[in-house]
Amino acid sequence: MIIITETDRLLLREVHPDDAAAFFAIYSRPEVNTYRVRKTLTHIGEAEKLIAENQENYGAYGYGRWTIVRKEDQQVIGMCGLRYREKLKHTDLGYNLVPEAWGQGYGTEAATACLEYGFRELGLSVIYAKAASGNTASIRIFEKCGLEKEECWESDGICDVSYLKKN
């Protein structure tokens, strides 16, 4: 499996079909999906579809979301990365972690690595991120990564907070 980048504690690698069971175990948990647009997964086929969609995005734009692997035990703890949003004509940062990994700095570590990769390796000039206004953990991570608050807009009845970082 292809490693995209790494940090002291994490490997970020390309998503692979073998990740379906791990992603299902993460995204089938309602607490992981509280602020996601997608619904909680109910069967493994939905995880396989998530992987296929990511691989399509990667094929079309050269990047996408990546599997987060904790180095110390090789455990898949989430997904993160950059995704080009054709409709919005920009690239955004996104991530999700298994609840057992929350509050340990993994989100900030992964997000920082993704931003550095996007600017250094992909030559992006701006990367966006979006969090629901009630998602204080993600807002805190985006601010720790140096993203600046840009605007607030309505999306599915939730006021979303948009952040951006310029290279």
Side-chain angles (χ1 to χ4, degrees):
M1 293 185 207
I2 299 171
I3 295 174
I4 303 299
T5 190
E6 64 183 282
T7 69
D8 289 341
R9 301 184 299 162
L10 304 172
L11 292 175
L12 305 180
R13 63 167 173 74
E14 280 190 23
V15 170
H16 189 273
D18 291 345
D19 294 326
F23 288 159
F24 180 70
I26 294 167
Y27 293 110
S28 64
R29 297 176 67 172
E31 64 270 35
V32 172
N33 299 291
T34 302
Y35 296 107
R36 287 182 74 228
V37 173
R38 292 179 183 236
K39 296 183 177 166
T40 301
L41 302 187
T42 59
H43 57 84
I44 193 80
E46 292 169 319
E48 293 165 348
K49 183 178 177 188
L50 177 69
I51 290 168
E53 288 171 2
N54 186 70
Q55 290 175 322
E56 287 173 19
N57 194 282
Y58 205 96
Y61 304 109
Y63 55 93
R65 302 282 198 246
W66 303 306
T67 302
I68 305 171
V69 179
R70 188 171 42 214
K71 284 181 178 179
E72 72 175 313
D73 58 7
Q74 296 299 299
Q75 189 73 29
V76 172
I77 61 169
M79 181 189 276
C80 71
L82 305 170
R83 183 173 179 183
Y84 185 73
R85 303 285 184 176
E86 180 67 39
K87 188 175 178 181
L88 301 172
K89 304 290 186 222
H90 73 237
T91 298
D92 71 20
L93 166 70
Y95 70 93
N96 290 100
L97 295 169
V98 67
E100 292 78 14
W102 293 355
Q104 298 175 48
Y106 294 124
T108 302
E109 196 171 325
T112 299
C114 291
L115 290 166
E116 289 173 359
Y117 183 88
F119 293 131
R120 185 183 64 245
E121 301 298 325
L122 300 175
L124 299 172
S125 58
V126 178
I127 298 174
Y128 290 83
K130 186 174 85 170
S133 56
N135 190 348
T136 56
S138 285
I139 290 170
R140 195 167 42 250
I141 286 171
F142 295 154
E143 290 172 350
K144 283 181 185 178
C145 291
L147 279 79
E148 298 176 14
K149 189 174 180 180
E150 182 188 39
E151 65 183 70
C152 186
W153 71 88
E154 289 294 320
S155 173
D156 297 327
I158 301 171
C159 183
D160 289 319
V161 181
S162 178
Y163 287 83
L164 67 104
K165 184 162 188 168
K166 297 178 183 176
N167 191 3

